[in-house]
Amino acid sequence: DVKVTQSSRYLVKRTGEKVFLECVQDMDHENMFWYRQDPGLGLRLIYFSYDVKMKEKGDIPEGYSVSREKKERFSLILESASTNQTSMYLCASSLYPRVTEKLFFGSGTQLSVL
Amino acid sequence: EDKVVQSPLSLVVHEGDTVTLNCSYEVTNFRSLLWYKQEKKAPTFLFMLTSSGIEKKSGRLSSILDKKELFSILNITATQTGDSAIYLCAVEALLDMRFGAGTRLTVKP
């Protein structure tokens, strides 16, 4: 089975801190994604990546950056955390060269910014 | 602007009931529609639909797509407490996948 692992289940940070969310997949998938999930808004795409060192903005990239130095690892960075970035963050990966197809999700990181 | 709308947003039923969850969409360059079940944290894949009128079935769950009217339904028959979850509808377009807000289903014993 594909495994997508997010490094933290729960994080509490202070406003202005730099935050790193890590995601690792073990099935050699080409595509990796970062979403945030908020009640009533569903999943919204922050950034995605088709390949190592490649990144594309999603719907809501403001306040975030990403890094993909290795194929299996996709990091989401909050340069200066703000309270409106309190959310559930979900990482996902997919095998095929097309953008999406079936996504495999990590278990999520609930981030609280105080 | 592309959008995916799910209804209802929440639903409470009793075990044994049958439920129908709805997903309507407006996207350019439609490729497929997917249903996911999210119980605790990680959504898990249920169905992918690409053709109109062809029902996909897995146990008590089934789903169908209408590409003319731009919607899909997810049916769950003889519901069980283990079906309690958020059900997410996602539509794959040319360059991205767009999610609906989800339907939170609660099945009471």
Short mmCIF file of all heavy atoms in Angstrom, two decimals, chain A residues 42-107:
data_model
loop_
_atom_site.label_atom_id
_atom_site.label_comp_id
_atom_site.label_asym_id
_atom_site.label_seq_id
_atom_site.Cartn_x
_atom_site.Cartn_y
_atom_site.Cartn_z
N GLY A 42 -14.09 22.92 2.25
CA GLY A 42 -13.51 21.77 1.59
C GLY A 42 -12.00 21.85 1.55
O GLY A 42 -11.37 22.55 2.33
N LEU A 43 -11.41 21.12 0.62
CA LEU A 43 -9.96 21.12 0.45
C LEU A 43 -9.59 22.15 -0.60
O LEU A 43 -10.15 22.17 -1.69
CB LEU A 43 -9.48 19.74 -0.01
CG LEU A 43 -9.18 18.71 1.06
CD1 LEU A 43 -10.45 18.22 1.71
CD2 LEU A 43 -8.39 17.55 0.48
N ARG A 44 -8.64 22.96 -0.27
CA ARG A 44 -8.15 23.97 -1.21
C ARG A 44 -6.67 23.74 -1.45
O ARG A 44 -5.90 23.57 -0.51
CB ARG A 44 -8.42 25.38 -0.68
CG ARG A 44 -9.90 25.74 -0.60
CD ARG A 44 -10.10 27.13 -0.06
NE ARG A 44 -9.73 27.21 1.34
CZ ARG A 44 -9.56 28.36 1.99
NH1 ARG A 44 -9.70 29.51 1.36
NH2 ARG A 44 -9.24 28.35 3.28
N LEU A 45 -6.31 23.80 -2.73
CA LEU A 45 -4.94 23.48 -3.12
C LEU A 45 -4.02 24.67 -2.89
O LEU A 45 -4.28 25.77 -3.37
CB LEU A 45 -4.92 23.07 -4.60
CG LEU A 45 -3.58 22.65 -5.17
CD1 LEU A 45 -3.07 21.40 -4.47
CD2 LEU A 45 -3.72 22.40 -6.67
N ILE A 46 -2.93 24.41 -2.19
CA ILE A 46 -1.96 25.47 -1.89
C ILE A 46 -0.85 25.47 -2.95
O ILE A 46 -0.60 26.45 -3.63
CB ILE A 46 -1.36 25.28 -0.49
CG1 ILE A 46 -2.46 25.18 0.56
CG2 ILE A 46 -0.41 26.44 -0.16
CD1 ILE A 46 -1.95 24.78 1.94
N TYR A 47 -0.16 24.34 -3.06
CA TYR A 47 0.91 24.16 -4.04
C TYR A 47 0.92 22.71 -4.48
O TYR A 47 0.47 21.83 -3.76
CB TYR A 47 2.28 24.47 -3.41
CG TYR A 47 2.78 25.88 -3.56
CD1 TYR A 47 2.61 26.80 -2.52
CD2 TYR A 47 3.45 26.29 -4.71
CE1 TYR A 47 3.07 28.10 -2.64
CE2 TYR A 47 3.92 27.60 -4.83
CZ TYR A 47 3.73 28.49 -3.79
OH TYR A 47 4.21 29.78 -3.90
N PHE A 48 1.48 22.47 -5.66
CA PHE A 48 1.74 21.11 -6.08
C PHE A 48 3.05 21.03 -6.85
O PHE A 48 3.62 22.06 -7.24
CB PHE A 48 0.56 20.52 -6.87
CG PHE A 48 0.18 21.28 -8.11
CD1 PHE A 48 0.59 20.84 -9.36
CD2 PHE A 48 -0.63 22.40 -8.03
CE1 PHE A 48 0.20 21.52 -10.50
CE2 PHE A 48 -1.02 23.08 -9.17
CZ PHE A 48 -0.60 22.64 -10.41
N SER A 49 3.48 19.79 -7.05
CA SER A 49 4.78 19.58 -7.69
C SER A 49 4.71 18.33 -8.56
O SER A 49 4.22 17.30 -8.13
CB SER A 49 5.85 19.40 -6.63
OG SER A 49 7.06 18.93 -7.20
N TYR A 50 5.20 18.46 -9.80
CA TYR A 50 5.22 17.32 -10.72
C TYR A 50 6.55 16.58 -10.69
O TYR A 50 6.66 15.48 -11.21
CB TYR A 50 5.03 17.76 -12.17
CG TYR A 50 3.75 18.46 -12.47
CD1 TYR A 50 3.73 19.56 -13.30
CD2 TYR A 50 2.55 18.03 -11.92
CE1 TYR A 50 2.55 20.20 -13.59
CE2 TYR A 50 1.37 18.68 -12.20
CZ TYR A 50 1.38 19.77 -13.04
OH TYR A 50 0.22 20.41 -13.32
N ASP A 51 7.55 17.23 -10.16
CA ASP A 51 8.88 16.63 -10.27
C ASP A 51 9.80 17.31 -9.26
O ASP A 51 9.46 18.38 -8.73
CB ASP A 51 9.41 16.81 -11.70
CG ASP A 51 10.51 15.83 -12.06
OD1 ASP A 51 10.96 15.09 -11.15
OD2 ASP A 51 10.93 15.82 -13.21
N VAL A 52 10.94 16.72 -9.07
CA VAL A 52 11.92 17.30 -8.16
C VAL A 52 12.26 18.73 -8.59
O VAL A 52 12.42 19.01 -9.78
CB VAL A 52 13.19 16.43 -8.13
CG1 VAL A 52 14.27 17.07 -7.27
CG2 VAL A 52 12.86 15.05 -7.62
N LYS A 53 12.33 19.59 -7.63
CA LYS A 53 12.67 21.01 -7.81
C LYS A 53 11.65 21.77 -8.64
O LYS A 53 11.89 22.91 -9.05
CB LYS A 53 14.06 21.16 -8.43
CG LYS A 53 15.18 20.63 -7.53
CD LYS A 53 16.54 21.05 -8.03
CE LYS A 53 17.66 20.40 -7.23
NZ LYS A 53 17.67 20.85 -5.83
N MET A 54 10.53 21.17 -8.87
CA MET A 54 9.48 21.83 -9.64
C MET A 54 8.30 22.11 -8.72
O MET A 54 7.97 21.30 -7.85
CB MET A 54 9.05 20.90 -10.78
CG MET A 54 7.90 21.42 -11.61
SD MET A 54 6.35 20.96 -10.90
CE MET A 54 5.23 21.89 -11.95
N LYS A 55 7.68 23.29 -8.87
CA LYS A 55 6.52 23.62 -8.04
C LYS A 55 5.57 24.50 -8.84
O LYS A 55 6.01 25.26 -9.72
CB LYS A 55 6.95 24.33 -6.76
CG LYS A 55 7.70 25.63 -7.00
CD LYS A 55 8.19 26.22 -5.70
CE LYS A 55 8.97 27.50 -5.96
NZ LYS A 55 9.56 28.07 -4.72
N GLU A 56 4.31 24.37 -8.52
CA GLU A 56 3.29 25.20 -9.16
C GLU A 56 2.35 25.72 -8.09
O GLU A 56 1.99 24.98 -7.16
CB GLU A 56 2.48 24.37 -10.17
CG GLU A 56 3.22 23.96 -11.42
CD GLU A 56 3.38 25.10 -12.40
OE1 GLU A 56 2.68 26.12 -12.24
OE2 GLU A 56 4.22 24.96 -13.32
N LYS A 57 1.90 26.95 -8.23
CA LYS A 57 0.94 27.51 -7.29
C LYS A 57 -0.44 26.90 -7.51
O LYS A 57 -0.85 26.65 -8.64
CB LYS A 57 0.86 29.02 -7.47
CG LYS A 57 2.12 29.75 -7.06
CD LYS A 57 1.96 31.25 -7.26
CE LYS A 57 3.23 31.98 -6.85
NZ LYS A 57 3.10 33.45 -7.05
N GLY A 58 -1.12 26.70 -6.40
CA GLY A 58 -2.51 26.27 -6.46
C GLY A 58 -3.43 27.45 -6.33
O GLY A 58 -3.14 28.55 -6.80
N ASP A 59 -4.54 27.25 -5.64
CA ASP A 59 -5.55 28.31 -5.52
C ASP A 59 -5.20 29.35 -4.47
O ASP A 59 -5.58 30.50 -4.58
CB ASP A 59 -6.91 27.69 -5.18
CG ASP A 59 -7.43 26.84 -6.31
OD1 ASP A 59 -7.18 27.17 -7.47
OD2 ASP A 59 -8.10 25.82 -6.02
N ILE A 60 -4.50 28.94 -3.43
CA ILE A 60 -4.27 29.84 -2.29
C ILE A 60 -2.81 29.79 -1.84
O ILE A 60 -2.50 29.44 -0.72
CB ILE A 60 -5.21 29.50 -1.11
CG1 ILE A 60 -5.16 28.00 -0.77
CG2 ILE A 60 -6.64 29.91 -1.42
CD1 ILE A 60 -5.74 27.68 0.58
N PRO A 61 -1.87 30.19 -2.68
CA PRO A 61 -0.45 30.07 -2.32
C PRO A 61 0.09 31.18 -1.41
O PRO A 61 1.18 31.05 -0.85
CB PRO A 61 0.23 30.16 -3.69
CG PRO A 61 -0.68 31.04 -4.50
CD PRO A 61 -2.07 30.72 -4.03
N GLU A 62 -0.69 32.23 -1.24
CA GLU A 62 -0.17 33.40 -0.50
C GLU A 62 0.16 33.01 0.95
O GLU A 62 -0.65 32.41 1.64
CB GLU A 62 -1.21 34.52 -0.50
CG GLU A 62 -1.52 35.10 -1.88
CD GLU A 62 -2.45 34.22 -2.70
OE1 GLU A 62 -3.18 33.39 -2.10
OE2 GLU A 62 -2.45 34.35 -3.94
N GLY A 63 1.35 33.38 1.35
CA GLY A 63 1.78 33.10 2.72
C GLY A 63 2.48 31.77 2.88
O GLY A 63 2.90 31.41 3.98
N TYR A 64 2.59 31.02 1.77
CA TYR A 64 3.20 29.70 1.80
C TYR A 64 4.31 29.60 0.74
O TYR A 64 4.29 30.30 -0.26
CB TYR A 64 2.17 28.61 1.50
CG TYR A 64 0.98 28.58 2.40
CD1 TYR A 64 -0.20 29.24 2.04
CD2 TYR A 64 1.01 27.87 3.60
CE1 TYR A 64 -1.31 29.21 2.86
CE2 TYR A 64 -0.11 27.84 4.42
CZ TYR A 64 -1.26 28.51 4.04
OH TYR A 64 -2.37 28.48 4.86
N SER A 65 5.23 28.71 0.99
CA SER A 65 6.18 28.30 -0.04
C SER A 65 6.40 26.80 0.12
O SER A 65 5.94 26.20 1.10
CB SER A 65 7.51 29.05 0.08
OG SER A 65 8.12 28.77 1.32
N VAL A 66 7.04 26.18 -0.87
CA VAL A 66 7.25 24.74 -0.82
C VAL A 66 8.67 24.43 -1.28
O VAL A 66 9.35 25.25 -1.90
CB VAL A 66 6.24 23.97 -1.70
CG1 VAL A 66 4.85 24.02 -1.13
CG2 VAL A 66 6.28 24.48 -3.14
N SER A 67 9.06 23.20 -0.98
CA SER A 67 10.38 22.72 -1.40
C SER A 67 10.27 21.26 -1.75
O SER A 67 9.69 20.48 -1.01
CB SER A 67 11.38 22.91 -0.26
OG SER A 67 12.61 22.28 -0.56
N ARG A 68 10.86 20.91 -2.92
CA ARG A 68 10.91 19.49 -3.30
C ARG A 68 12.32 19.20 -3.82
O ARG A 68 12.57 19.23 -5.01
CB ARG A 68 9.87 19.14 -4.34
CG ARG A 68 9.73 17.62 -4.48
CD ARG A 68 8.42 17.22 -5.01
NE ARG A 68 8.31 15.78 -5.13
CZ ARG A 68 7.57 15.18 -6.06
NH1 ARG A 68 6.91 15.91 -6.94
NH2 ARG A 68 7.51 13.87 -6.09
N GLU A 69 13.19 18.90 -2.88
CA GLU A 69 14.59 18.60 -3.20
C GLU A 69 14.79 17.13 -3.57
O GLU A 69 15.71 16.78 -4.30
CB GLU A 69 15.48 18.97 -2.02
CG GLU A 69 15.49 20.46 -1.73
CD GLU A 69 16.08 21.27 -2.87
OE1 GLU A 69 17.09 20.82 -3.45
OE2 GLU A 69 15.53 22.34 -3.20
N LYS A 70 13.91 16.28 -3.05
CA LYS A 70 13.95 14.86 -3.38
C LYS A 70 12.55 14.42 -3.79
O LYS A 70 11.55 15.00 -3.35
CB LYS A 70 14.41 14.04 -2.18
CG LYS A 70 15.84 14.30 -1.78
CD LYS A 70 16.25 13.36 -0.66
CE LYS A 70 17.72 13.59 -0.30
NZ LYS A 70 18.16 12.68 0.78
N LYS A 71 12.49 13.40 -4.62
CA LYS A 71 11.21 12.98 -5.19
C LYS A 71 10.21 12.59 -4.11
O LYS A 71 9.02 12.83 -4.23
CB LYS A 71 11.43 11.80 -6.13
CG LYS A 71 10.23 11.44 -6.98
CD LYS A 71 10.60 10.35 -7.96
CE LYS A 71 9.47 10.08 -8.92
NZ LYS A 71 9.83 9.04 -9.91
N GLU A 72 10.69 11.97 -3.04
CA GLU A 72 9.77 11.43 -2.04
C GLU A 72 9.33 12.45 -1.00
O GLU A 72 8.44 12.17 -0.22
CB GLU A 72 10.42 10.24 -1.33
CG GLU A 72 11.62 10.59 -0.46
CD GLU A 72 12.94 10.55 -1.21
OE1 GLU A 72 12.91 10.58 -2.47
OE2 GLU A 72 13.98 10.47 -0.55
N ARG A 73 9.90 13.63 -1.00
CA ARG A 73 9.65 14.58 0.08
C ARG A 73 9.17 15.92 -0.46
O ARG A 73 9.77 16.49 -1.37
CB ARG A 73 10.93 14.79 0.89
CG ARG A 73 10.77 15.65 2.12
CD ARG A 73 12.11 15.79 2.85
NE ARG A 73 12.58 14.49 3.34
CZ ARG A 73 12.29 13.99 4.52
NH1 ARG A 73 11.55 14.69 5.36
NH2 ARG A 73 12.76 12.82 4.89
N PHE A 74 8.08 16.40 0.14
CA PHE A 74 7.51 17.69 -0.29
C PHE A 74 7.20 18.48 0.97
O PHE A 74 6.38 18.05 1.78
CB PHE A 74 6.24 17.42 -1.12
CG PHE A 74 5.70 18.61 -1.86
CD1 PHE A 74 6.52 19.57 -2.42
CD2 PHE A 74 4.32 18.74 -2.05
CE1 PHE A 74 6.01 20.64 -3.14
CE2 PHE A 74 3.79 19.82 -2.77
CZ PHE A 74 4.64 20.76 -3.30
N SER A 75 7.84 19.60 1.13
CA SER A 75 7.72 20.39 2.35
C SER A 75 6.91 21.65 2.10
O SER A 75 7.07 22.31 1.08
CB SER A 75 9.11 20.78 2.87
OG SER A 75 9.91 19.64 3.06
N LEU A 76 6.07 21.96 3.05
CA LEU A 76 5.29 23.20 3.02
C LEU A 76 5.87 24.12 4.09
O LEU A 76 6.07 23.70 5.22
CB LEU A 76 3.81 22.92 3.30
CG LEU A 76 2.88 24.12 3.31
CD1 LEU A 76 2.73 24.69 1.90
CD2 LEU A 76 1.51 23.74 3.87
N ILE A 77 6.09 25.37 3.71
CA ILE A 77 6.73 26.33 4.61
C ILE A 77 5.83 27.53 4.79
O ILE A 77 5.36 28.12 3.80
CB ILE A 77 8.10 26.76 4.05
CG1 ILE A 77 8.98 25.53 3.80
CG2 ILE A 77 8.78 27.75 5.00
CD1 ILE A 77 10.02 25.73 2.74
N LEU A 78 5.59 27.86 6.03
CA LEU A 78 4.91 29.11 6.37
C LEU A 78 5.99 30.05 6.85
O LEU A 78 6.58 29.87 7.91
CB LEU A 78 3.87 28.88 7.47
CG LEU A 78 2.58 28.16 7.11
CD1 LEU A 78 2.82 26.70 6.72
CD2 LEU A 78 1.58 28.26 8.25
N GLU A 79 6.31 31.04 6.03
CA GLU A 79 7.46 31.91 6.32
C GLU A 79 7.26 32.69 7.62
O GLU A 79 8.18 32.88 8.39
CB GLU A 79 7.68 32.87 5.16
CG GLU A 79 8.08 32.18 3.86
CD GLU A 79 9.48 31.60 3.91
OE1 GLU A 79 10.28 32.01 4.79
OE2 GLU A 79 9.80 30.74 3.08
N SER A 80 6.03 33.16 7.84
CA SER A 80 5.71 33.92 9.05
C SER A 80 4.26 33.61 9.39
O SER A 80 3.35 34.21 8.85
CB SER A 80 5.91 35.42 8.80
OG SER A 80 5.54 36.16 9.94
N ALA A 81 4.09 32.64 10.27
CA ALA A 81 2.75 32.11 10.52
C ALA A 81 1.80 33.19 11.03
O ALA A 81 2.18 34.07 11.83
CB ALA A 81 2.82 30.97 11.54
N SER A 82 0.57 33.11 10.56
CA SER A 82 -0.47 34.02 11.02
C SER A 82 -1.68 33.21 11.48
O SER A 82 -1.84 32.04 11.12
CB SER A 82 -0.88 34.98 9.90
OG SER A 82 -1.43 34.27 8.82
N THR A 83 -2.52 33.85 12.29
CA THR A 83 -3.66 33.13 12.88
C THR A 83 -4.61 32.59 11.81
O THR A 83 -5.24 31.55 12.01
CB THR A 83 -4.42 34.01 13.86
OG1 THR A 83 -4.80 35.23 13.20
CG2 THR A 83 -3.57 34.37 15.08
N ASN A 84 -4.70 33.25 10.66
CA ASN A 84 -5.60 32.74 9.62
C ASN A 84 -5.03 31.53 8.89
O ASN A 84 -5.68 31.00 7.97
CB ASN A 84 -6.00 33.84 8.64
CG ASN A 84 -4.84 34.40 7.86
OD1 ASN A 84 -3.74 33.85 7.88
ND2 ASN A 84 -5.06 35.51 7.16
N GLN A 85 -3.86 31.11 9.28
CA GLN A 85 -3.30 29.87 8.74
C GLN A 85 -3.56 28.68 9.67
O GLN A 85 -3.09 27.56 9.40
CB GLN A 85 -1.81 30.04 8.47
CG GLN A 85 -1.54 31.01 7.32
CD GLN A 85 -0.07 31.22 7.05
OE1 GLN A 85 0.71 31.51 7.97
NE2 GLN A 85 0.33 31.10 5.79
N THR A 86 -4.30 28.91 10.73
CA THR A 86 -4.76 27.80 11.56
C THR A 86 -5.70 26.94 10.72
O THR A 86 -6.70 27.43 10.19
CB THR A 86 -5.50 28.33 12.80
OG1 THR A 86 -4.57 28.96 13.66
CG2 THR A 86 -6.19 27.19 13.55
N SER A 87 -5.36 25.68 10.56
CA SER A 87 -6.12 24.84 9.66
C SER A 87 -5.60 23.40 9.74
O SER A 87 -4.60 23.12 10.39
CB SER A 87 -5.96 25.35 8.22
OG SER A 87 -6.77 24.63 7.32
N MET A 88 -6.31 22.51 9.06
CA MET A 88 -5.83 21.15 8.83
C MET A 88 -5.10 21.14 7.50
O MET A 88 -5.66 21.57 6.48
CB MET A 88 -7.01 20.18 8.77
CG MET A 88 -6.64 18.79 8.28
SD MET A 88 -5.61 17.92 9.43
CE MET A 88 -6.82 17.60 10.70
N TYR A 89 -3.88 20.64 7.50
CA TYR A 89 -3.08 20.58 6.27
C TYR A 89 -2.93 19.12 5.85
O TYR A 89 -2.52 18.27 6.64
CB TYR A 89 -1.71 21.22 6.49
CG TYR A 89 -1.81 22.72 6.63
CD1 TYR A 89 -2.03 23.30 7.88
CD2 TYR A 89 -1.73 23.55 5.52
CE1 TYR A 89 -2.16 24.67 8.01
CE2 TYR A 89 -1.86 24.93 5.65
CZ TYR A 89 -2.08 25.47 6.90
OH TYR A 89 -2.22 26.84 7.02
N LEU A 90 -3.28 18.87 4.60
CA LEU A 90 -3.22 17.51 4.06
C LEU A 90 -2.25 17.47 2.89
O LEU A 90 -2.32 18.28 1.97
CB LEU A 90 -4.60 17.06 3.58
CG LEU A 90 -5.61 16.72 4.66
CD1 LEU A 90 -7.01 16.69 4.11
CD2 LEU A 90 -5.28 15.38 5.30
N CYS A 91 -1.37 16.50 2.95
CA CYS A 91 -0.45 16.24 1.85
C CYS A 91 -1.00 15.07 1.05
O CYS A 91 -1.63 14.16 1.61
CB CYS A 91 0.93 15.90 2.41
SG CYS A 91 2.13 15.38 1.19
N ALA A 92 -0.78 15.08 -0.26
CA ALA A 92 -1.24 13.97 -1.09
C ALA A 92 -0.23 13.70 -2.19
O ALA A 92 0.57 14.57 -2.55
CB ALA A 92 -2.61 14.28 -1.69
N SER A 93 -0.29 12.49 -2.73
CA SER A 93 0.56 12.17 -3.87
C SER A 93 -0.23 11.35 -4.88
O SER A 93 -1.26 10.75 -4.54
CB SER A 93 1.81 11.39 -3.43
OG SER A 93 1.47 10.08 -3.02
N SER A 94 0.23 11.36 -6.11
CA SER A 94 -0.38 10.52 -7.14
C SER A 94 0.69 10.06 -8.11
O SER A 94 1.71 10.73 -8.31
CB SER A 94 -1.50 11.26 -7.88
OG SER A 94 -0.99 12.30 -8.68
N LEU A 95 0.44 8.92 -8.74
CA LEU A 95 1.46 8.25 -9.50
C LEU A 95 1.68 8.84 -10.88
O LEU A 95 2.80 9.04 -11.32
CB LEU A 95 1.09 6.77 -9.65
CG LEU A 95 1.99 5.92 -10.56
CD1 LEU A 95 3.42 5.90 -10.03
CD2 LEU A 95 1.44 4.51 -10.67
N TYR A 96 0.59 9.10 -11.60
CA TYR A 96 0.68 9.32 -13.03
C TYR A 96 1.15 10.70 -13.40
O TYR A 96 1.01 11.64 -12.63
CB TYR A 96 -0.68 9.02 -13.66
CG TYR A 96 -1.13 7.62 -13.37
CD1 TYR A 96 -2.14 7.37 -12.47
CD2 TYR A 96 -0.51 6.54 -14.00
CE1 TYR A 96 -2.54 6.07 -12.18
CE2 TYR A 96 -0.90 5.25 -13.71
CZ TYR A 96 -1.92 5.02 -12.81
OH TYR A 96 -2.31 3.76 -12.53
N PRO A 97 1.67 10.83 -14.59
CA PRO A 97 2.17 12.13 -15.03
C PRO A 97 1.08 13.19 -15.15
O PRO A 97 1.36 14.35 -15.07
CB PRO A 97 2.76 11.84 -16.43
CG PRO A 97 3.04 10.38 -16.42
CD PRO A 97 1.99 9.76 -15.54
N ARG A 98 -0.15 12.78 -15.35
CA ARG A 98 -1.23 13.77 -15.34
C ARG A 98 -1.33 14.41 -13.98
O ARG A 98 -0.82 13.88 -13.00
CB ARG A 98 -2.55 13.09 -15.70
CG ARG A 98 -2.68 12.80 -17.16
CD ARG A 98 -3.86 11.87 -17.40
NE ARG A 98 -5.08 12.38 -16.81
CZ ARG A 98 -6.21 11.69 -16.82
NH1 ARG A 98 -6.26 10.49 -17.34
NH2 ARG A 98 -7.30 12.19 -16.28
N VAL A 99 -2.05 15.48 -13.91
CA VAL A 99 -2.06 16.27 -12.68
C VAL A 99 -2.61 15.50 -11.50
O VAL A 99 -2.09 15.57 -10.40
CB VAL A 99 -2.88 17.56 -12.87
CG1 VAL A 99 -2.99 18.32 -11.57
CG2 VAL A 99 -2.26 18.41 -13.94
N THR A 100 -3.66 14.79 -11.70
CA THR A 100 -4.37 14.28 -10.53
C THR A 100 -4.54 12.76 -10.57
O THR A 100 -3.68 12.04 -10.16
CB THR A 100 -5.71 14.97 -10.38
OG1 THR A 100 -6.38 14.97 -11.63
CG2 THR A 100 -5.50 16.40 -9.94
N GLU A 101 -5.60 12.25 -11.13
CA GLU A 101 -5.97 10.85 -10.94
C GLU A 101 -6.20 10.62 -9.46
O GLU A 101 -6.43 11.53 -8.70
CB GLU A 101 -4.88 9.93 -11.48
CG GLU A 101 -4.77 9.93 -13.00
CD GLU A 101 -5.79 9.00 -13.64
OE1 GLU A 101 -6.40 8.20 -12.94
OE2 GLU A 101 -5.97 9.10 -14.87
N LYS A 102 -6.10 9.40 -9.07
CA LYS A 102 -6.41 9.07 -7.69
C LYS A 102 -5.32 9.59 -6.77
O LYS A 102 -4.14 9.35 -6.97
CB LYS A 102 -6.54 7.56 -7.57
CG LYS A 102 -7.06 7.12 -6.23
CD LYS A 102 -7.44 5.64 -6.27
CE LYS A 102 -6.25 4.73 -6.31
NZ LYS A 102 -6.65 3.31 -6.21
N LEU A 103 -5.74 10.29 -5.75
CA LEU A 103 -4.80 10.85 -4.79
C LEU A 103 -4.70 9.96 -3.56
O LEU A 103 -5.69 9.38 -3.12
CB LEU A 103 -5.25 12.24 -4.34
CG LEU A 103 -5.28 13.35 -5.39
CD1 LEU A 103 -5.87 14.61 -4.81
CD2 LEU A 103 -3.88 13.62 -5.92
N PHE A 104 -3.51 9.86 -3.02
CA PHE A 104 -3.29 9.19 -1.75
C PHE A 104 -2.92 10.27 -0.73
O PHE A 104 -1.99 11.03 -0.94
CB PHE A 104 -2.17 8.16 -1.87
CG PHE A 104 -2.51 7.02 -2.77
CD1 PHE A 104 -2.27 7.10 -4.14
CD2 PHE A 104 -3.07 5.86 -2.27
CE1 PHE A 104 -2.59 6.05 -4.99
CE2 PHE A 104 -3.38 4.80 -3.11
CZ PHE A 104 -3.15 4.90 -4.47
N PHE A 105 -3.66 10.27 0.35
CA PHE A 105 -3.50 11.34 1.33
C PHE A 105 -2.72 10.89 2.56
O PHE A 105 -2.81 9.73 2.97
CB PHE A 105 -4.87 11.85 1.80
CG PHE A 105 -5.59 12.70 0.80
CD1 PHE A 105 -6.43 12.13 -0.15
CD2 PHE A 105 -5.42 14.07 0.79
CE1 PHE A 105 -7.09 12.91 -1.08
CE2 PHE A 105 -6.10 14.87 -0.13
CZ PHE A 105 -6.93 14.28 -1.07
N GLY A 106 -2.01 11.83 3.15
CA GLY A 106 -1.46 11.63 4.48
C GLY A 106 -2.54 11.83 5.52
O GLY A 106 -3.69 12.18 5.19
N SER A 107 -2.19 11.62 6.78
CA SER A 107 -3.17 11.71 7.86
C SER A 107 -3.46 13.12 8.32
O SER A 107 -4.35 13.32 9.14
CB SER A 107 -2.69 10.88 9.06
OG SER A 107 -2.65 9.53 8.71
#
